[in-house]
């Protein structure tokens, strides 16, 4: 057999032999398993992935009967970002009626809860209109984005300035203060859009990008919202395979958050009342797609096996074995989607 | 005897214990150990382990900062004992997040790990205009300019930095390294940057390569 | 799954608001709709089923359920409280459906 055409994590085309691909699959799976202390891939799973790359079809898909639901982040910015003048409601209708989206998401272009707080009175009528016209379940989505609560964007001293000076305790206190501000905003925005505008749920997107304190804030906000509205749908999408310990000691329900991998993250999300969880495995741009896909499958599969709630893995630009490019190539995206759904028993993407 | 000292040096860095690192460095030199060997087989081994643990989520930023502080102290003591011409290869690096981007967590990690590895770092902060990168590099006497961007919308500033360096006739004076979530080797090649770092650990390796190139 | 072209929106509702995993959610929806699990992703079957149940589909004709009307029927059909439906009823003074009492 000749060489197989695939890509690197940055999207560049690369030709590899089957033996090279198998080597990458095995090495990445082993590495991921050791990092997260979870099982590696079986021989059958490695063979499945190898066959996926040997297959010359440009686009692949899941077996009939294994179709799953799709949730989206920042939906009402996606078409607008292509500089197409279009309203939020039109975008939602386009996704629902034109593109067959299973769920919808109304979002503010400045996709952070802190920024949404200022426009919430304008977002509510948008949501009210949207729920009248659409049929699919609809989220209000945004990012916790803890960084916005520190100087120069927020009221709290910036831990990024304090840490290099060795002011560790001060930086921890700052993270804790930032978390409290963020919780307040997330609960406020979530409550307004759910209770007063009719959203089906809320999406905490790219959670924990600012580390363990941000994960804590999102969990706490989910917990408060779940207590207030037991029927509320709550999705929590993550930002990386393990929780960065920028505070390092913060806990949720007695569990230290720093360093948690997806199979442990999801258990805390369940405790907080989250109904859909989205692990995010970042791509290594210097490695091949087979390497990246095997790695992502190991983390995601362990998460899905541990979960009682639906798992919608993040797949897209630079996550879940999809290259880090603004326009993800279909050959890579469809392979990553098929493999995640079929090997990880995913509920959605 | 030397093996015991190397082990102690590694432990001091892993624990982020500046007092112990100072003591081990002084003791090692007093006992006649080769300072470069003490650094290579002791302290550098320690900081490499710290980097690996950080990369896999087993050690966290505050501990990394403590380790960096301990490493800085040990490096200072050992460097003083090395004849100037044999001094360890270090380098001066200016690091900042580009204009329009206020995300600086990644940059903070990079700065900590760079310092831990003995580089002299000038952190020029976030939302930094291109002119300031160049101005600060000139004043600091930098060897390397490192720029970070989290946003796809601000990546173009890294390209602009390359262009402005050329316009000012300074491109050959500095090595440039780029990083940040949407940045790739492909992007670095396209804009003409000297190196791309996937993460902080990779940044250390790339900066070392740039300094010895 | 295909959203309102199939039964994707209905399965997604069970995931989102009941935290049901995909197999359980599909089984639940299939039973409520009186179709097989495989039919749920079949655009031909589901277009007809949605038309018959009047729960909204892509190619709308006049005088069929659209938007909130379709969601009234979906809430009844799936025995699932839909937030905006309940809000709508509250705002216009309609008593809640029996199944939500």
């Amino acid at each position: 057999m000749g060489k197989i055409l695939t890509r690197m994590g940055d999207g560049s085309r690369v030709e590899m032999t089957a033996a090279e691909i198998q080597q990458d699959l095995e090495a990445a799976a082993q590495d991921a398993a050791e990092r997260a202390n979870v099982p590696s891939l079986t021989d059958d799973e490695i063979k499945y992935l190898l066959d996926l790359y040997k297959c010359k079809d440009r686009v692949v898909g899941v077996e009939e009967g294994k179709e799953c639901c799709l949730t989206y982040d920042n939906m009402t910015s996606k078409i607008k970002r292509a500089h197409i003048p279009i309203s939020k409601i039109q975008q939602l209708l386009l996704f629902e009626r034109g593109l067959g989206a299973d769920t919808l998401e109304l979002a503010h272009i400045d996709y952070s809860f802190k920024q949404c707080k200022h426009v919430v009175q304008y977002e509510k009528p948008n949501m009210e209109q949207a729920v009248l016209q659409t049929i699919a379940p609809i989220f209000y989505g945004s990012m916790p984005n803890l960084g916005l609560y520190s100087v120069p964007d927020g009221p709290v001293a910036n831990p990024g300035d304090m840490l290099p000076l060795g002011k560790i305790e001060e930086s921890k206190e700052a993270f804790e203060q930032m978390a409290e501000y963020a919780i307040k905003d997330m609960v406020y925005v979530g409550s307004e859009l759910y209770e007063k505008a009719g959203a089906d749920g809320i999406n905490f997107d790219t959670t924990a990008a600012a580390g363990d304190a941000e994960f804590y804030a999102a969990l706490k906000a989910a917990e408060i919202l779940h207590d207030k509205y037991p029927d509320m749908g709550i999705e929590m999408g993550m930002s990386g395979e393990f929780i960065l310990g920028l505070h390092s000691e913060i806990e949720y329900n007695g569990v230290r958050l720093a360093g948690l991998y997806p199979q442990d993250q999801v258990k805390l999300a369940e405790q907080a009342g989250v109904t859909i969880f989205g692990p995010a495995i970042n791509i290594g741009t210097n490695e091949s797609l087979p390497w990246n896909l095997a790695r992502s499958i190991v983390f995601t599969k362990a998460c899905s096996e541990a979960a009682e709630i639906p798992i919608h893995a993040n797949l897209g630009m630079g996550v879940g074995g999809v290259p880090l490019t603004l326009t993800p190539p279909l050959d890579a995206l469809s392979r990553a989607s098929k493999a995640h759904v079929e090997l990880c028993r995913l509920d959605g993407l | 005897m030397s093996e015991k000292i190397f082990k102690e040096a590694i432990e001091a860095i892993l624990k982020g214990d500046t007092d112990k690192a100072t003591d081990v460095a002084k003791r090692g030199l007093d006992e006649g150990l080769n300072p470069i060997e003490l650094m290579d087989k002791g302290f550098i081994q320690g900081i490499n382990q710290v980097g690996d643990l950080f990369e896999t989520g087993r050690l966290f930023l505050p501990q990394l900062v403590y380790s960096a502080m301990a490493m800085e102290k040990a490096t200072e003591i050992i460097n003083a004992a090395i004849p100037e011409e044999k001094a360890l290869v270090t380098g001066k690096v200016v690091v900042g997040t580009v204009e329009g981007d206020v995300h600086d967590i990644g940059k903070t990690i990079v700065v900590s790990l760079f310092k831990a590895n003995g580089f002299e770092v000038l952190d020029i902060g976030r939302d930094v205009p291109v002119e300031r990168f160049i101005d600060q590099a000139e004043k600091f006497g930098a060897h390397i300019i490192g720029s970070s961007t989290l946003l796809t919308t601000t990546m173009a500033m890294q390209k602009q930095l390359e262009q402005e360096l050329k316009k000012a006739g300074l491109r050959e004076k500095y090595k440039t390294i780029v990083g940040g979530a949407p940045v790739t080797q492909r992007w670095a090649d396209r804009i003409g940057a000297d190196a791309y770092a996937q993460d902080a650990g990779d940044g250390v390796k790339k900066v070392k390569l740039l300094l010895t190139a | 799954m295909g959203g309102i072209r199939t039964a994707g929106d209905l399965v997604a509702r069970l995931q989102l608001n009941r935290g049901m995993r995909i197999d359980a959610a599909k089984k639940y929806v299939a039973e409520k709709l009186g179709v097989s699990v495989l039919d749920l992703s079949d655009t031909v079957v589901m277009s007809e089923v949605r038309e018959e149940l009047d729960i909204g589909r892509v190619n709308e004709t006049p005088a069929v359920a659209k938007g909130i009307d379709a969601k009234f029927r979906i809430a009844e059909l799936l025995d699932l409280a839909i937030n905006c439906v309940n809000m709508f009823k509250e705002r216009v003074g309609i008593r809640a459906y029996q199944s939500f009492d």
Side-chain angles (χ1 to χ4, degrees), chain A residues 223-292:
Chain A
E223 177 191 310
I224 294 168
L225 287 168
H226 179 68
D227 286 346
K228 277 176 89 175
Y229 315 112
D231 291 334
M232 183 183 199
I234 303 176
E235 174 157 345
M236 187 173 286
M238 302 305 290
S239 53
E241 52 267 28
F242 68 84
I243 306 291
L244 277 172
L246 303 188
H247 178 291
S248 85
E249 287 174 347
I250 204 158
E251 295 182 351
Y252 179 76
N253 286 354
V255 178
R256 188 189 197 190
L257 302 180
L260 288 186
Y261 277 82
Q263 74 274 11
D264 298 318
Q265 297 165 13
V266 69
K267 300 315 287 179
L268 294 181
E270 285 171 356
Q271 289 172 28
V274 168
T275 54
I276 297 177
F277 183 76
I281 313 305
N282 289 320
I283 200 149
T285 55
N286 294 330
E287 302 287 352
S288 71
L289 284 190
W291 188 94
N292 276 292

Side-chain angles (χ1 to χ4, degrees), chain A residues 154-330:
Chain A
V156 182
N158 194 322
D161 294 335
M162 290 186 271
L163 278 167
L165 301 174
K167 295 181 178 176
I168 306 294
E169 290 311 313
E170 292 90 334
S171 81
K172 286 181 183 174
E173 279 172 29
F175 272 122
E176 288 162 20
Q177 288 171 24
M178 289 155 68
E180 292 308 317
Y181 280 112
I183 292 166
K184 204 174 156 197
D185 287 350
M186 286 188 275
V187 170
Y188 171 68
V189 172
S191 300
E192 290 292 301
L193 269 298
Y194 181 79
E195 187 182 332
K196 296 175 185 163
D200 290 292
I202 190 147
N203 179 19
F204 297 99
D205 186 30
T206 325
T207 298
D212 45 355
E214 183 175 311
F215 189 32
Y216 167 80
L219 289 168
K220 204 69 197 168
E223 177 191 310
I224 294 168
L225 287 168
H226 179 68
D227 286 346
K228 277 176 89 175
Y229 315 112
D231 291 334
M232 183 183 199
I234 303 176
E235 174 157 345
M236 187 173 286
M238 302 305 290
S239 53
E241 52 267 28
F242 68 84
I243 306 291
L244 277 172
L246 303 188
H247 178 291
S248 85
E249 287 174 347
I250 204 158
E251 295 182 351
Y252 179 76
N253 286 354
V255 178
R256 188 189 197 190
L257 302 180
L260 288 186
Y261 277 82
Q263 74 274 11
D264 298 318
Q265 297 165 13
V266 69
K267 300 315 287 179
L268 294 181
E270 285 171 356
Q271 289 172 28
V274 168
T275 54
I276 297 177
F277 183 76
I281 313 305
N282 289 320
I283 200 149
T285 55
N286 294 330
E287 302 287 352
S288 71
L289 284 190
W291 188 94
N292 276 292
L293 186 55
R295 184 171 184 273
S296 183
I297 296 281
V298 169
F299 292 132
T300 308
K301 185 165 177 257
C303 175
S304 184
E305 284 174 354
E308 286 170 30
I309 57 174
I311 299 299
H312 286 204
N314 278 277
L315 259 80
M317 180 185 171
V319 284
V322 180
L324 183 61
T325 57
L326 271 173
T327 45
L330 266 182

Side-chain angles (χ1 to χ4, degrees), chain C residues 14-89:
Chain C
L14 273 301
Q15 291 194 353
L16 176 63
N17 293 107
R18 295 248 175 104
M20 287 171 78
R21 298 210 64 170
I22 187 112
D23 292 342
K26 281 184 175 177
K27 186 168 177 280
Y28 181 95
V29 173
E31 281 173 6
K32 292 289 183 186
L33 265 54
V35 298
S36 74
V37 167
L38 214 57
D39 287 339
L40 296 178
S41 304
D42 187 324
T43 49
V44 177
V45 173
M46 283 311 303
S47 180
E48 291 166 1
V49 169
R50 293 189 82 112
E51 184 184 16
E52 281 162 24
L53 295 171
D54 201 14
I55 54 173
R57 58 187 191 131
V58 174
N59 300 309
E60 285 171 346
T61 48
V64 297
K66 302 175 184 69
I68 193 85
D69 328 3
K71 285 189 276 194
F72 264 72
R73 293 183 191 282
I74 290 168
E76 268 293 271
L77 188 68
L78 297 184
D79 193 17
L80 178 77
I82 296 181
N83 189 32
C84 62
V85 171
N86 287 347
M87 181 176 293
F88 187 98
K89 286 185 287 196

